[in-house]
Structure formats: C-alpha cells, structure tokens
Amino acid sequence: MATCYYEGEPYDCSFTDKYFLPIADSIDQSTIAMAVKDSMLIVPWAGCFHLLSLALLGGAIIMADLRVIGPGLHSQSPQSLNRRMQPFLIAALAVLVLSGVMLALGEVMKLFYSPPYWVKMATLVSAVLFTFGTRDSLIRNNGRLTPLAIVFGLVSLLLWGWVFIALTSLLARVAFLIMIAGLGILVWLSGRSADSMPLMARLGSATTIALWMTTAVAGRWIAFW
Amino acid sequence: MRDFFLWMNETPWSVALRESFYVWPILEASHVMTLMLFVGTIIMVDLRMLGLVYRNVPLSEMDRRILPLTVAGFILLVITGLLLFYAKPLVYYHSLFFRLKILLIVAAMINILVYHFRIQKDMAAWDSDPKPPRSARISAAISLSAWVFVVITGRMIAYDWYNCEKLDPNGVMSALADCPPIEFADVTE
C-alpha cells in the first residue's frame, strides 16, 4: 500500500495508483489523445486497419509456421517461406502497433483499469520476443537451439506463464488449454510425415501460433470487459 | 422479411444468445479470430495470382495446399456470423453497413464463380507462370479489394452513425435500411 493525496488529504491507495495513474492521466490529457477523442473518424478507421493488419499477420504466420507443423506449401522449404513472409510480418506488426496506439489513446483511462488490456500487452511482448528471437532462429537453424534463442524463449515463456497464472480467468485458461491440445496434435501428426521438420522447430512454430492467438483474443476481449 | 426477423428476434434462443454473458463474446471473438485464417490466406492466394509473392509456386499448389484453409476459415466465419445474426436479427437487418457487407460478399462470390468457371479453364497453360494472365490478375484484384471492404464494413457495423433513429425518415438512406415508421422506431433495438 502507498499513500496518495486528494486535495491535500492523505488516503490509502495501491502502488499502481500512486505511481502510474498520474502517467496514464497525463497521457489521457495530452494534445494527441484529446485530438483522437475529439475526432469521430480516427478510432473507427484505426479499428479497421487494426483488423486488416491482424489478418495480414495471420496470413504470414499461417504460411510460415503452419507449414512447419503440417498444412502449407510443401514444395517450398520452411526457411524460404519464413524469409519471404518476414517483410509481411514486420509490416503487419508496424500497422498493428500504430493503429493500436491510436485505439488506445481514445480510451486511456478505461484501459488503465482493464485486465484484458494488460494481458494483451504482456502477451504481445512475449509473442514478439518469441517470434523474432526464438522461432526465427529455430527455423533458420533447422531446429537447433542457439544460446540466444534459448534466452529469448525463456524470457518470453516466463512472461507468458506469469500472465497465465496471475491474470487470466478460468474461461481464458480452458480456451487456451484447448488450443494447446489442438496444436499439440498437429505437432505430433506432422512428425509422422516424411519431410517433417525437427521436433524443436515444430514446437517453436506451434508456440508462435499460440502466442499470437492469445494476444489477438485478449485484444478482442478488451471490448467485452 | 422484416416480420420474419421480428419474429426471430423474439425467439427464446435469440434472446438468450444476445443476453448471454459469455456465449456472445466467444462467438464474436471467434468470428474475428477466424479472420486471420480466412482473410490471411486469401490475401496470400490473391497476391500469388497478382504475381507479387510465391512467384515460383504453381497456382495449382496454392489451390491444393492453401485454399482448403481458406475454405475452412470461410465455413467457420459463416457459422459464427449466422449465429451472431440470429442473436440480433433486427439490428443487422436495419444496418446499412451490414447490408453493404452482404452485397460485397455476394460480389466476391460472383467473382469466385467467374474465376472458377471461366478464367481457370485454361489454367494448365499458365499454372507455373510467375505472373498469371491479365484476366486472372483482375479477378485477384477484385477479390482482394472486396474482402478488404468486407472487413471494413464489418467493423463499421459497430458504429451507429447511420442507424434508423439517426436518419431522415423520408430520406433515401432510411429507405435503403428499410427503417420502420417512426412510431415503431424503438423496435429496432
């Protein structure tokens, strides 16, 4: 607990409220946030671009990572697919972040107290770290783990595990376990085909898909909270 | 048709669905997540048909290996979409954005049929071409833009700028949305 002051009077408040609420408040009152809130069009269009780039990100992940665990263009190597999808992935991510910032500026104070928003931010960081730090290296090195990939993977999965234990509801956990089971079956089935990738690469790609799915679902859930 | 949806709106399952705490959000979230599968893969297939990516992959391999994913996504979208519609039939029936979205989906479907029955007939001749013939590229461009606008109009359904209560009751927009006479206007929600 910490002590906050309202018009000079002390009262008990949480550390978050004491140290981060003023920051959120000043963002909320900034010129750009005011402009976003005053405009009738910025938030709806940011929503559209957010969805379209989400679809593009989905396409890039599906082409590169679903190939590693089964369905996809088997005439192409996973390495080549991954390389060709990288620009799409980065472009989609850039538009997602940009439009996401616009969406967030429209409702800063609501998001400050929104658990799904913080789940999403944490899983986003974990998905980015894993995608570019671990999975990319796993595909390029044909399933061999480099020390750097291990570090990125551990940080990412620890962060994600903490979110799963500390912040999610029962519904989210059940949904996630069902998704893990589905991806696990794909990883197992794809191991039986003749041109299958090594197990580590398949696990890396399945994890990538799972991390982006959690991020996207948590993002959608902000609206329902 | 409005009477039918009015009746549908009052069926117990429809009421239960729109008032449910979890089922509605789950359906809505699944609808949006499936976008990644459906629109994500169709973007890649269309970009291949435009000759912009995967230029060394034969179109027939895209059809065989990627299109089934697109079709699976489409089926999921239709199922969740129909359930969402069933939960709030009157809201969507009177929504101009929803009407526009359905028109765009129909246009995209016609484009698919034209491609499948006309353009694709001699595909064997250009299957492995890095850049398919003009007719195929035009079809891909139509498909890509149609689905982009389906996503945009779908998102815009959430905004009430053109809902019946905000339209001039004697105007064209009101007629296009089949708005009920003003004394029944409250029934649309």
Side-chain angles (χ1 to χ4, degrees):
Chain A
M1 285 303 239
T3 311
C4 298
Y5 293 90
Y6 179 73
E7 294 181 346
E9 290 292 310
Y11 68 97
D12 286 345
C13 62
S14 66
F15 278 105
T16 333
D17 280 359
K18 183 169 173 69
Y19 297 106
F20 295 105
L21 194 57
I23 300 177
D25 209 45
S26 65
I27 297 175
D28 189 47
Q29 298 303 317
S30 65
T31 326
I32 179 159
M34 283 301 192
V36 171
K37 279 185 279 189
D38 283 342
S39 156
M40 244 182 54
L41 290 176
I42 294 181
V43 168
W45 277 104
C48 290
F49 280 105
H50 209 62
L51 276 182
L52 287 169
S53 43
L54 175 73
L56 186 61
L57 177 104
I61 293 285
I62 286 170
M63 297 301 285
D65 288 284
L66 211 55
R67 159 71 178 87
V68 176
I69 57 170
L73 303 172
H74 278 253
S75 71
Q76 312 293 310
S77 71
Q79 285 80 7
S80 138
L81 288 173
N82 179 40
R83 205 173 46 245
R84 279 186 276 181
M85 284 297 99
Q86 197 83 333
F88 288 90
L89 200 57
I90 292 169
L93 211 55
V95 180
L96 276 168
V97 170
L98 210 66
S99 54
V101 167
M102 290 297 151
L103 287 170
L105 284 174
E107 43 177 21
V108 177
M109 296 324 284
K110 183 199 160 189
L111 294 181
F112 185 73
Y113 289 113
S114 160
Y117 175 74
W118 293 109
V119 168
K120 179 182 179 167
M121 287 303 111
T123 53
L124 172 65
V125 171
S126 130
V128 169
L129 290 178
F130 196 89
T131 305
F132 296 103
T134 307
R135 156 213 98 119
D136 193 53
S137 143
L138 271 175
I139 294 180
R140 273 190 286 113
N141 298 312
N142 211 19
R144 197 170 49 79
L145 273 169
T146 61
L148 205 59
I150 295 176
V151 172
F152 273 108
L154 277 180
V155 173
S156 158
L157 292 181
L158 279 175
L159 174 62
W160 188 87
W162 171 74
V163 170
F164 187 71
I165 292 165
L167 298 178
T168 51
S169 63
L170 181 67
L171 176 74
R173 291 175 192 185
V174 171
F176 194 80
L177 291 176
I178 293 172
M179 179 170 69
I180 288 276
L183 286 167
I185 291 172
L186 270 183
V187 167
W188 176 67
L189 280 178
S190 62
R192 293 147 47 112
S193 82
D195 64 343
S196 74
M197 288 283 283
L199 180 65
M200 224 12 129
R202 282 182 280 135
L203 286 175
S205 284
T207 310
T208 305
I209 295 174
L211 288 175
W212 285 113
M213 285 288 284
T214 5
T215 310
V217 175
R220 192 67 199 99
W221 218 261
I222 295 171
F224 301 133
W225 193 265
Chain B
M1 191 136 82
R2 183 171 188 276
D3 292 336
F4 174 67
F5 292 132
L6 200 60
W7 167 81
M8 186 191 274
N9 201 41
E10 302 309 319
T11 55
W13 280 90
S14 172
V15 178
L17 212 51
R18 70 173 165 269
E19 288 178 354
S20 69
F21 191 66
Y22 278 130
V23 184
W24 168 266
I26 289 176
L27 279 176
E28 227 270 4
S30 321
H31 196 69
V32 177
M33 292 313 116
T34 316
L35 206 76
M36 291 163 92
L37 180 61
F38 173 71
V39 182
T41 51
I42 213 160
I43 289 175
M44 296 304 164
V45 174
D46 284 340
L47 288 179
R48 167 64 187 97
M49 269 166 68
L50 286 167
L52 295 175
V53 280
Y54 302 122
R55 291 159 63 95
N56 66 338
V57 178
L59 265 170
S60 56
E61 196 195 356
M62 293 298 277
D63 284 2
R64 220 174 41 248
R65 307 288 314 187
I66 302 299
L67 269 187
L69 297 172
T70 318
V71 172
F74 188 72
I75 293 171
L76 276 171
L77 279 171
V78 169
I79 294 173
T80 49
L82 282 175
L83 285 169
L84 289 169
F85 182 87
Y86 174 61
K88 298 179 179 177
L90 273 190
V91 174
Y92 294 123
Y93 175 72
H94 288 298
S95 161
L96 279 173
F97 283 123
F98 180 80
R99 291 178 169 224
L100 197 54
K101 177 177 176 176
I102 296 299
L103 281 180
L104 285 162
I105 294 176
V106 170
M109 288 300 176
I110 293 173
N111 181 53
I112 290 175
L113 289 178
V114 170
Y115 176 75
H116 193 77
F117 289 108
R118 303 290 293 271
I119 302 170
Q120 212 179 19
K121 264 191 176 154
D122 59 344
M123 193 171 94
W126 41 270
D127 189 20
S128 301
D129 288 5
K131 193 171 172 181
R134 182 194 277 271
S135 57
R137 279 182 284 134
I138 290 175
S139 179
I142 293 174
S143 160
L144 200 54
S145 34
W147 292 117
V148 164
F149 282 103
V150 167
V151 173
I152 292 176
T153 47
R155 176 75 278 246
M156 293 299 188
I157 296 173
Y159 297 95
D160 61 357
W161 312 313
Y162 302 112
N163 280 11
C164 279
E165 62 274 13
K166 303 212 170 173
L167 299 176
D168 167 16
N170 302 313
V172 184
M173 303 269 262
S174 187
L176 285 176
D178 192 20
C179 292
I182 203 78
E183 59 269 31
F184 302 122
D186 58 331
V187 185
T188 56
E189 269 307 318

